[in-house]
Short mmCIF file of all heavy atoms in Angstrom, two decimals:
data_model
loop_
_atom_site.label_atom_id
_atom_site.label_comp_id
_atom_site.label_asym_id
_atom_site.label_seq_id
_atom_site.Cartn_x
_atom_site.Cartn_y
_atom_site.Cartn_z
N SER X 24 21.63 117.00 -10.39
CA SER X 24 20.99 116.66 -9.12
C SER X 24 19.48 116.63 -9.24
O SER X 24 18.75 117.22 -8.44
CB SER X 24 21.43 117.65 -8.03
OG SER X 24 22.84 117.66 -7.87
N LEU X 25 19.01 115.95 -10.25
CA LEU X 25 17.58 115.94 -10.54
C LEU X 25 16.78 115.29 -9.42
O LEU X 25 17.22 114.33 -8.79
CB LEU X 25 17.31 115.22 -11.86
CG LEU X 25 17.66 116.06 -13.10
CD1 LEU X 25 17.78 115.17 -14.33
CD2 LEU X 25 16.60 117.14 -13.32
N LYS X 26 15.60 115.84 -9.20
CA LYS X 26 14.69 115.37 -8.18
C LYS X 26 13.39 114.92 -8.83
O LYS X 26 13.04 115.39 -9.91
CB LYS X 26 14.39 116.49 -7.17
CG LYS X 26 15.61 117.10 -6.52
CD LYS X 26 15.21 118.30 -5.66
CE LYS X 26 16.42 118.94 -5.01
NZ LYS X 26 16.04 120.11 -4.17
N PRO X 27 12.65 114.04 -8.17
CA PRO X 27 11.36 113.63 -8.74
C PRO X 27 10.44 114.80 -9.04
O PRO X 27 9.68 114.75 -10.01
CB PRO X 27 10.77 112.72 -7.65
CG PRO X 27 11.97 112.13 -6.99
CD PRO X 27 12.98 113.24 -6.97
N GLU X 28 10.50 115.86 -8.25
CA GLU X 28 9.66 117.02 -8.49
C GLU X 28 10.05 117.82 -9.73
O GLU X 28 9.34 118.74 -10.12
CB GLU X 28 9.63 117.94 -7.26
CG GLU X 28 11.00 118.31 -6.72
CD GLU X 28 11.40 117.43 -5.54
OE1 GLU X 28 11.23 116.20 -5.62
OE2 GLU X 28 11.89 118.00 -4.53
N ASP X 29 11.17 117.46 -10.36
CA ASP X 29 11.55 118.07 -11.62
C ASP X 29 10.82 117.43 -12.80
O ASP X 29 10.94 117.92 -13.93
CB ASP X 29 13.06 117.96 -11.85
CG ASP X 29 13.87 118.74 -10.84
OD1 ASP X 29 13.47 119.87 -10.48
OD2 ASP X 29 14.92 118.23 -10.39
N THR X 30 10.11 116.36 -12.55
CA THR X 30 9.38 115.67 -13.61
C THR X 30 8.36 116.61 -14.24
O THR X 30 7.50 117.17 -13.55
CB THR X 30 8.69 114.42 -13.06
OG1 THR X 30 9.67 113.48 -12.62
CG2 THR X 30 7.83 113.76 -14.13
N ALA X 31 8.44 116.78 -15.54
CA ALA X 31 7.57 117.70 -16.26
C ALA X 31 7.88 117.63 -17.74
O ALA X 31 8.88 117.03 -18.16
CB ALA X 31 7.76 119.14 -15.76
N VAL X 32 7.03 118.27 -18.53
CA VAL X 32 7.37 118.53 -19.92
C VAL X 32 8.08 119.88 -19.95
O VAL X 32 7.58 120.86 -19.40
CB VAL X 32 6.13 118.56 -20.83
CG1 VAL X 32 6.52 118.91 -22.26
CG2 VAL X 32 5.42 117.21 -20.79
N TYR X 33 9.23 119.91 -20.59
CA TYR X 33 10.03 121.12 -20.65
C TYR X 33 9.92 121.77 -22.03
O TYR X 33 10.01 121.09 -23.05
CB TYR X 33 11.49 120.81 -20.34
CG TYR X 33 11.74 120.58 -18.87
CD1 TYR X 33 11.29 119.43 -18.24
CD2 TYR X 33 12.41 121.53 -18.10
CE1 TYR X 33 11.49 119.22 -16.89
CE2 TYR X 33 12.63 121.33 -16.75
CZ TYR X 33 12.17 120.18 -16.15
OH TYR X 33 12.38 119.98 -14.80
N TYR X 34 9.72 123.07 -22.03
CA TYR X 34 9.56 123.85 -23.25
C TYR X 34 10.54 125.00 -23.27
O TYR X 34 10.91 125.53 -22.23
CB TYR X 34 8.16 124.46 -23.33
CG TYR X 34 7.01 123.49 -23.26
CD1 TYR X 34 6.48 123.10 -22.03
CD2 TYR X 34 6.42 122.99 -24.41
CE1 TYR X 34 5.41 122.22 -21.95
CE2 TYR X 34 5.35 122.12 -24.35
CZ TYR X 34 4.84 121.75 -23.11
OH TYR X 34 3.78 120.89 -23.04
N CYS X 35 10.95 125.40 -24.45
CA CYS X 35 11.67 126.66 -24.57
C CYS X 35 10.84 127.62 -25.40
O CYS X 35 10.01 127.22 -26.21
CB CYS X 35 13.06 126.47 -25.19
SG CYS X 35 13.10 125.84 -26.88
N SER X 36 11.05 128.90 -25.16
CA SER X 36 10.31 129.93 -25.86
C SER X 36 11.07 131.23 -25.74
O SER X 36 12.00 131.34 -24.94
CB SER X 36 8.91 130.08 -25.25
OG SER X 36 8.12 131.01 -25.98
N TRP X 37 10.72 132.18 -26.57
CA TRP X 37 11.34 133.49 -26.47
C TRP X 37 10.33 134.52 -26.00
O TRP X 37 9.14 134.41 -26.25
CB TRP X 37 11.98 133.90 -27.81
CG TRP X 37 11.03 134.08 -28.96
CD1 TRP X 37 10.41 135.23 -29.35
CD2 TRP X 37 10.61 133.07 -29.89
NE1 TRP X 37 9.62 135.01 -30.45
CE2 TRP X 37 9.73 133.69 -30.80
CE3 TRP X 37 10.89 131.71 -30.03
CZ2 TRP X 37 9.12 132.99 -31.85
CZ3 TRP X 37 10.28 131.01 -31.07
CH2 TRP X 37 9.42 131.65 -31.96
N TYR X 38 10.83 135.50 -25.30
CA TYR X 38 9.98 136.56 -24.80
C TYR X 38 9.23 137.22 -25.94
O TYR X 38 9.83 137.49 -26.99
CB TYR X 38 10.82 137.61 -24.06
CG TYR X 38 10.01 138.68 -23.38
CD1 TYR X 38 9.51 138.48 -22.10
CD2 TYR X 38 9.74 139.89 -24.01
CE1 TYR X 38 8.76 139.45 -21.48
CE2 TYR X 38 8.99 140.87 -23.38
CZ TYR X 38 8.50 140.64 -22.12
OH TYR X 38 7.75 141.61 -21.49
N PRO X 39 7.94 137.46 -25.83
CA PRO X 39 7.09 137.44 -24.63
C PRO X 39 6.44 136.10 -24.31
O PRO X 39 5.38 136.08 -23.67
CB PRO X 39 6.05 138.50 -24.96
CG PRO X 39 5.84 138.36 -26.43
CD PRO X 39 7.22 138.03 -26.98
N TYR X 40 7.06 135.01 -24.74
CA TYR X 40 6.62 133.66 -24.35
C TYR X 40 5.19 133.37 -24.78
O TYR X 40 4.31 133.07 -23.96
CB TYR X 40 6.77 133.47 -22.83
CG TYR X 40 8.13 133.82 -22.29
CD1 TYR X 40 8.27 134.63 -21.16
CD2 TYR X 40 9.29 133.34 -22.89
CE1 TYR X 40 9.52 134.95 -20.65
CE2 TYR X 40 10.54 133.66 -22.39
CZ TYR X 40 10.65 134.45 -21.28
OH TYR X 40 11.90 134.77 -20.76
N VAL X 41 4.98 133.44 -26.07
CA VAL X 41 3.67 133.10 -26.62
C VAL X 41 3.75 131.99 -27.66
O VAL X 41 2.72 131.50 -28.10
CB VAL X 41 2.98 134.34 -27.24
CG1 VAL X 41 2.69 135.37 -26.17
CG2 VAL X 41 3.83 134.94 -28.35
N ASN X 42 4.96 131.61 -28.05
CA ASN X 42 5.16 130.55 -29.03
C ASN X 42 5.78 129.34 -28.36
O ASN X 42 6.74 129.47 -27.60
CB ASN X 42 6.04 131.03 -30.18
CG ASN X 42 5.43 132.17 -30.95
OD1 ASN X 42 4.45 132.00 -31.66
ND2 ASN X 42 5.99 133.36 -30.80
N TRP X 43 5.21 128.16 -28.67
CA TRP X 43 5.64 126.94 -28.01
C TRP X 43 5.80 125.81 -28.99
O TRP X 43 5.07 125.70 -29.97
CB TRP X 43 4.63 126.52 -26.93
CG TRP X 43 4.30 127.63 -25.98
CD1 TRP X 43 3.25 128.50 -26.06
CD2 TRP X 43 5.05 128.02 -24.83
NE1 TRP X 43 3.29 129.40 -25.02
CE2 TRP X 43 4.37 129.12 -24.25
CE3 TRP X 43 6.21 127.53 -24.23
CZ2 TRP X 43 4.85 129.75 -23.10
CZ3 TRP X 43 6.67 128.16 -23.09
CH2 TRP X 43 5.99 129.25 -22.53
N GLY X 44 6.77 124.94 -28.72
CA GLY X 44 6.93 123.72 -29.49
C GLY X 44 6.23 122.57 -28.80
O GLY X 44 5.32 122.76 -27.99
N GLN X 45 6.66 121.36 -29.14
CA GLN X 45 6.04 120.17 -28.56
C GLN X 45 6.55 119.86 -27.16
O GLN X 45 5.90 119.14 -26.41
CB GLN X 45 6.28 118.96 -29.47
CG GLN X 45 5.58 119.05 -30.81
CD GLN X 45 4.08 119.09 -30.67
OE1 GLN X 45 3.49 118.22 -30.02
NE2 GLN X 45 3.45 120.11 -31.25
N GLY X 46 7.70 120.39 -26.81
CA GLY X 46 8.28 120.12 -25.51
C GLY X 46 9.01 118.79 -25.49
O GLY X 46 8.91 117.98 -26.42
N THR X 47 9.74 118.55 -24.42
CA THR X 47 10.43 117.28 -24.23
C THR X 47 10.19 116.80 -22.80
O THR X 47 10.27 117.57 -21.85
CB THR X 47 11.94 117.42 -24.55
OG1 THR X 47 12.57 116.14 -24.47
CG2 THR X 47 12.63 118.40 -23.61
N GLN X 48 9.85 115.54 -22.68
CA GLN X 48 9.47 114.97 -21.38
C GLN X 48 10.70 114.62 -20.56
O GLN X 48 11.60 113.93 -21.03
CB GLN X 48 8.61 113.73 -21.58
CG GLN X 48 8.24 113.00 -20.29
CD GLN X 48 7.24 113.75 -19.46
OE1 GLN X 48 6.20 114.18 -19.97
NE2 GLN X 48 7.52 113.93 -18.17
N VAL X 49 10.71 115.08 -19.32
CA VAL X 49 11.73 114.70 -18.35
C VAL X 49 11.03 113.98 -17.21
O VAL X 49 10.13 114.53 -16.59
CB VAL X 49 12.50 115.93 -17.82
CG1 VAL X 49 13.43 115.52 -16.67
CG2 VAL X 49 13.30 116.58 -18.94
N THR X 50 11.45 112.77 -16.96
CA THR X 50 10.89 111.98 -15.87
C THR X 50 12.01 111.55 -14.93
O THR X 50 12.97 110.92 -15.37
CB THR X 50 10.16 110.74 -16.40
OG1 THR X 50 9.13 111.14 -17.32
CG2 THR X 50 9.52 109.97 -15.25
N VAL X 51 11.88 111.91 -13.67
CA VAL X 51 12.88 111.58 -12.67
C VAL X 51 12.27 110.60 -11.69
O VAL X 51 11.27 110.91 -11.03
CB VAL X 51 13.37 112.83 -11.92
CG1 VAL X 51 14.48 112.46 -10.95
CG2 VAL X 51 13.86 113.89 -12.92
#
């Protein structure tokens, strides 16, 4: 049920959330 406001770059990380990858773009 994606909404336009879900548009963003999405990242995953592990606690304490200091390491990041390139992310993946979601556009609704």
Side-chain angles (χ1 to χ4, degrees):
S24 302
L25 284 162
K26 304 174 181 180
E28 51 262 46
D29 295 319
T30 296
V32 177
Y33 284 72
Y34 303 87
C35 63
S36 184
W37 64 92
Y38 186 85
Y40 308 132
V41 296
N42 298 290
W43 309 95
Q45 294 297 307
T47 185
Q48 176 71 50
V49 172
T50 303
V51 184

